Amino acid sequence: MRILHKGHQNFSPSWKKHQEDQLLDNLSHGPDNTGKALHEKETRTKGSLTRFQFFLIAAASSFAYYIVPNYLFPSISALSFICWIWRDSITAQIIGSGRNGLGIGSFALDWTVISGFLGGPLEMPVFTLVNVMVGFILIVYIVTPITYWTNSYNAKRFPIFSTGVYDQYGQQYNVSRIINEKKFEFDQTAYDNYSKIYLSSYNIYYYGVNFAVVMATLSHVALFHGR
Protein backbone atom coordinates (compact mmCIF):
# COMPACT_ATOMS: atom_id res chain seq x y z
CA MET A 1 0.00 0.00 0.00
CA ARG A 2 2.88 2.30 0.74
CA ILE A 3 4.31 1.74 -2.72
CA LEU A 4 0.98 2.52 -4.35
CA HIS A 5 0.64 5.64 -2.24
CA LYS A 6 4.12 6.78 -3.25
CA GLY A 7 3.34 6.16 -6.90
CA HIS A 8 0.18 8.17 -6.54
CA GLN A 9 2.20 11.10 -5.22
CA ASN A 10 4.51 10.97 -8.27
CA PHE A 11 1.57 11.73 -10.55
CA SER A 12 0.12 14.51 -8.43
CA PRO A 13 -0.74 17.91 -10.00
CA SER A 14 2.30 19.51 -8.38
CA TRP A 15 4.57 16.90 -9.96
CA LYS A 16 3.02 17.54 -13.40
CA LYS A 17 3.51 21.27 -12.94
CA HIS A 18 7.16 20.67 -12.10
CA GLN A 19 7.63 18.58 -15.25
CA GLU A 20 5.99 21.25 -17.42
CA ASP A 21 8.23 23.95 -15.96
CA GLN A 22 11.28 21.80 -16.55
CA LEU A 23 10.26 21.16 -20.17
CA LEU A 24 9.82 24.88 -20.84
CA ASP A 25 13.17 25.58 -19.21
CA ASN A 26 14.87 22.98 -21.43
CA LEU A 27 13.33 24.53 -24.54
CA SER A 28 14.53 27.97 -23.54
CA HIS A 29 17.99 27.08 -22.23
CA GLY A 30 18.70 23.69 -23.76
CA PRO A 31 21.69 22.84 -25.98
CA ASP A 32 19.93 23.95 -29.16
CA ASN A 33 18.54 27.17 -27.62
CA THR A 34 15.52 26.95 -29.94
CA GLY A 35 13.05 28.64 -27.65
CA LYS A 36 15.64 31.09 -26.41
CA ALA A 37 16.48 32.29 -29.90
CA LEU A 38 12.82 32.92 -30.73
CA HIS A 39 11.49 34.34 -27.49
CA GLU A 40 14.35 35.95 -25.62
CA LYS A 41 14.48 39.73 -25.79
CA GLU A 42 17.84 40.65 -27.24
CA THR A 43 19.35 44.11 -27.09
CA ARG A 44 20.70 45.32 -30.42
CA THR A 45 23.89 47.30 -30.25
CA LYS A 46 24.58 50.11 -32.69
CA GLY A 47 25.71 48.88 -36.09
CA SER A 48 24.76 45.24 -35.45
CA LEU A 49 21.77 42.94 -35.88
CA THR A 50 19.90 40.72 -33.50
CA ARG A 51 19.68 37.04 -34.29
CA PHE A 52 16.02 37.36 -35.24
CA GLN A 53 16.75 40.29 -37.57
CA PHE A 54 19.54 38.29 -39.19
CA PHE A 55 17.13 35.36 -39.62
CA LEU A 56 14.53 37.58 -41.34
CA ILE A 57 17.13 39.09 -43.69
CA ALA A 58 18.53 35.66 -44.57
CA ALA A 59 15.03 34.25 -45.20
CA ALA A 60 14.00 37.22 -47.38
CA SER A 61 17.26 37.09 -49.34
CA SER A 62 16.90 33.35 -49.93
CA PHE A 63 13.31 33.83 -51.10
CA ALA A 64 14.31 36.61 -53.51
CA TYR A 65 17.30 34.63 -54.78
CA TYR A 66 15.15 31.65 -55.69
CA ILE A 67 11.98 33.34 -56.96
CA VAL A 68 13.71 35.72 -59.40
CA PRO A 69 15.50 33.14 -61.62
CA ASN A 70 12.97 30.35 -61.14
CA TYR A 71 9.69 32.23 -61.53
CA LEU A 72 10.02 35.89 -62.54
CA PHE A 73 12.98 35.76 -64.97
CA PRO A 74 13.86 32.15 -65.88
CA SER A 75 16.06 33.41 -68.73
CA ILE A 76 18.79 34.59 -66.34
CA SER A 77 19.24 31.04 -65.06
CA ALA A 78 21.29 30.34 -68.21
CA LEU A 79 22.98 33.23 -70.02
CA SER A 80 24.74 32.54 -73.32
CA PHE A 81 26.86 34.98 -75.30
CA ILE A 82 26.84 32.65 -78.32
CA CYS A 83 23.05 32.83 -78.54
CA TRP A 84 23.13 36.62 -78.16
CA ILE A 85 25.66 37.09 -80.96
CA TRP A 86 24.14 34.62 -83.47
CA ARG A 87 20.48 34.96 -82.61
CA ASP A 88 19.19 33.62 -85.96
CA SER A 89 21.46 30.58 -86.15
CA ILE A 90 19.91 27.26 -85.14
CA THR A 91 23.36 25.69 -84.77
CA ALA A 92 24.46 28.48 -82.43
CA GLN A 93 21.33 28.00 -80.34
CA ILE A 94 22.01 24.27 -80.08
CA ILE A 95 25.64 24.84 -79.07
CA GLY A 96 25.20 27.79 -76.72
CA SER A 97 21.77 27.44 -75.15
CA GLY A 98 21.94 26.47 -71.51
CA ARG A 99 18.28 25.47 -71.40
CA ASN A 100 17.74 23.51 -74.62
CA GLY A 101 21.27 23.05 -75.95
CA LEU A 102 24.81 22.03 -75.06
CA GLY A 103 25.35 25.13 -72.93
CA ILE A 104 28.85 25.83 -74.27
CA GLY A 105 29.85 29.39 -73.40
CA SER A 106 26.85 29.95 -71.14
CA PHE A 107 26.87 30.61 -67.41
CA ALA A 108 24.23 30.53 -64.71
CA LEU A 109 23.31 32.85 -61.86
CA ASP A 110 21.04 30.31 -60.23
CA TRP A 111 22.56 27.99 -57.64
CA THR A 112 20.00 25.28 -58.46
CA VAL A 113 21.47 25.11 -61.97
CA ILE A 114 25.02 24.89 -60.64
CA SER A 115 24.16 22.14 -58.18
CA GLY A 116 21.51 20.42 -60.29
CA PHE A 117 23.77 17.74 -61.78
CA LEU A 118 24.37 16.02 -58.43
CA GLY A 119 22.32 17.78 -55.81
CA GLY A 120 25.21 19.97 -54.66
CA PRO A 121 28.96 20.07 -55.42
CA LEU A 122 29.70 20.95 -51.78
CA GLU A 123 28.07 17.81 -50.42
CA MET A 124 29.77 15.05 -52.42
CA PRO A 125 33.35 13.69 -52.26
CA VAL A 126 35.77 14.55 -55.05
CA PHE A 127 35.86 11.07 -56.59
CA THR A 128 32.07 11.12 -56.96
CA LEU A 129 32.13 14.54 -58.63
CA VAL A 130 34.89 13.46 -61.03
CA ASN A 131 33.05 10.25 -61.87
CA VAL A 132 29.83 12.10 -62.64
CA MET A 133 31.65 14.81 -64.59
CA VAL A 134 33.40 12.27 -66.82
CA GLY A 135 30.11 10.55 -67.57
CA PHE A 136 28.42 13.90 -68.15
CA ILE A 137 31.06 15.03 -70.67
CA LEU A 138 30.98 11.67 -72.44
CA ILE A 139 27.20 11.61 -72.89
CA VAL A 140 26.38 15.30 -73.29
CA TYR A 141 29.36 16.64 -75.23
CA ILE A 142 30.45 13.60 -77.26
CA VAL A 143 27.83 10.90 -77.75
CA THR A 144 24.71 13.08 -77.99
CA PRO A 145 26.13 15.60 -80.53
CA ILE A 146 27.45 12.75 -82.70
CA THR A 147 24.02 11.12 -82.70
CA TYR A 148 22.30 14.40 -83.50
CA TRP A 149 24.57 15.74 -86.27
CA THR A 150 24.86 12.37 -87.99
CA ASN A 151 21.04 12.38 -88.02
CA SER A 152 20.83 8.89 -86.58
CA TYR A 153 17.21 7.73 -86.52
CA ASN A 154 16.14 11.15 -87.89
CA ALA A 155 17.50 12.85 -84.76
CA LYS A 156 17.54 16.30 -86.38
CA ARG A 157 13.78 16.18 -86.67
CA PHE A 158 13.54 16.63 -82.89
CA PRO A 159 15.24 18.92 -80.35
CA ILE A 160 18.66 17.73 -79.24
CA PHE A 161 17.73 18.19 -75.56
CA SER A 162 14.15 17.58 -74.57
CA THR A 163 12.16 15.38 -72.23
CA GLY A 164 9.13 15.53 -74.52
CA VAL A 165 7.64 12.73 -76.60
CA TYR A 166 7.28 13.33 -80.35
CA ASP A 167 5.61 11.82 -83.39
CA GLN A 168 7.19 11.11 -86.78
CA TYR A 169 6.45 14.67 -87.91
CA GLY A 170 8.49 16.25 -85.11
CA GLN A 171 5.43 17.46 -83.22
CA GLN A 172 4.43 16.77 -79.64
CA TYR A 173 2.90 13.32 -79.48
CA ASN A 174 -0.89 13.45 -79.35
CA VAL A 175 -1.67 10.70 -76.87
CA SER A 176 -5.43 11.12 -77.28
CA ARG A 177 -5.17 9.77 -80.84
CA ILE A 178 -4.07 6.32 -79.65
CA ILE A 179 -6.52 5.99 -76.75
CA ASN A 180 -9.96 4.45 -77.04
CA GLU A 181 -12.08 7.16 -75.43
CA LYS A 182 -14.94 4.80 -74.63
CA LYS A 183 -12.87 2.17 -72.84
CA PHE A 184 -9.81 4.32 -72.00
CA GLU A 185 -7.56 1.64 -73.46
CA PHE A 186 -4.60 1.64 -75.81
CA ASP A 187 -5.72 1.39 -79.45
CA GLN A 188 -3.14 -0.57 -81.44
CA THR A 189 -4.80 0.17 -84.78
CA ALA A 190 -4.85 3.91 -84.12
CA TYR A 191 -1.21 3.74 -83.04
CA ASP A 192 -0.19 1.99 -86.27
CA ASN A 193 -2.07 4.58 -88.33
CA TYR A 194 -0.66 7.55 -86.41
CA SER A 195 3.02 7.30 -85.49
CA LYS A 196 5.62 5.57 -83.39
CA ILE A 197 6.94 7.31 -80.29
CA TYR A 198 10.19 9.26 -80.72
CA LEU A 199 12.53 10.77 -78.13
CA SER A 200 15.26 13.38 -78.36
CA SER A 201 18.88 12.27 -78.73
CA TYR A 202 19.73 13.14 -75.15
CA ASN A 203 16.60 11.55 -73.70
CA ILE A 204 17.40 8.23 -75.37
CA TYR A 205 20.78 8.04 -73.65
CA TYR A 206 19.28 9.34 -70.43
CA TYR A 207 16.89 6.39 -70.23
CA GLY A 208 19.58 3.98 -71.36
CA VAL A 209 22.05 5.12 -68.71
CA ASN A 210 19.38 4.89 -66.00
CA PHE A 211 18.70 1.27 -66.88
CA ALA A 212 22.44 0.60 -66.99
CA VAL A 213 22.89 2.16 -63.54
CA VAL A 214 20.41 -0.31 -62.04
CA MET A 215 22.32 -3.27 -63.44
CA ALA A 216 25.67 -1.70 -62.50
CA THR A 217 24.49 -1.33 -58.90
CA LEU A 218 23.50 -4.99 -58.72
CA SER A 219 26.79 -6.04 -60.31
CA HIS A 220 28.80 -3.89 -57.89
CA VAL A 221 27.04 -5.33 -54.85
CA ALA A 222 27.50 -8.89 -56.14
CA LEU A 223 31.21 -8.45 -56.94
CA PHE A 224 32.36 -6.42 -53.94
CA HIS A 225 29.92 -7.40 -51.20
CA GLY A 226 28.68 -10.82 -52.27
CA ARG A 227 29.66 -13.98 -50.46
Side-chain angles (χ1 to χ4, degrees), residues 34-125:
T34 304
K36 183 178 180 181
L38 294 177
H39 301 289
E40 183 183 45
K41 292 183 179 180
E42 186 178 359
T43 303
R44 183 175 70 88
T45 59
K46 186 177 181 180
S48 64
L49 298 173
T50 64
R51 286 175 293 180
F52 187 67
Q53 288 174 333
F54 177 80
F55 169 77
L56 292 179
I57 294 175
S61 301
S62 177
F63 174 78
Y65 182 79
Y66 278 95
I67 196 173
V68 171
N70 285 283
Y71 183 74
L72 298 179
F73 302 102
S75 59
I76 68 173
S77 62
L79 305 176
S80 174
F81 290 104
I82 295 178
C83 295
W84 293 347
I85 297 173
W86 294 283
R87 292 180 297 178
D88 299 328
S89 173
I90 297 178
T91 302
Q93 302 299 317
I94 294 174
I95 295 175
S97 175
R99 295 178 63 86
N100 299 305
L102 298 175
I104 298 176
S106 65
F107 64 95
L109 301 177
D110 186 4
W111 178 253
T112 57
V113 176
I114 300 173
S115 61
F117 75 103
L118 195 59
L122 303 178
E123 305 167 3
M124 303 296 175

Side-chain angles (χ1 to χ4, degrees), residues 120-142:
L122 303 178
E123 305 167 3
M124 303 296 175
V126 175
F127 73 89
T128 302
L129 296 175
V130 173
N131 190 9
V132 172
M133 187 60 65
V134 171
F136 179 83
I137 293 174
L138 177 64
I139 297 298
V140 175
Y141 292 128
I142 298 177

Side-chain angles (χ1 to χ4, degrees), residues 29 88 93 106 113 128 144-145 152-153 159 194 201 204 211:
H29 303 91
D88 299 328
Q93 302 299 317
S106 65
V113 176
T128 302
T144 299
S152 300
Y153 302 101
Y194 175 36
S201 301
I204 292 174
F211 286 122

Side-chain angles (χ1 to χ4, degrees), residues 128-182:
T128 302
L129 296 175
V130 173
N131 190 9
V132 172
M133 187 60 65
V134 171
F136 179 83
I137 293 174
L138 177 64
I139 297 298
V140 175
Y141 292 128
I142 298 177
V143 178
T144 299
I146 291 176
T147 303
Y148 182 80
W149 271 293
T150 56
N151 200 27
S152 300
Y153 302 101
N154 297 318
K156 287 187 176 181
R157 190 177 297 176
F158 319 105
I160 186 172
F161 284 99
S162 175
T163 57
V165 181
Y166 300 91
D167 58 23
Q168 60 184 344
Y169 309 105
Q171 304 297 322
Q172 289 286 340
Y173 201 89
N174 188 356
V175 180
S176 62
R177 292 185 58 176
I178 62 172
I179 299 296
N180 189 324
E181 296 182 356
K182 295 181 179 179

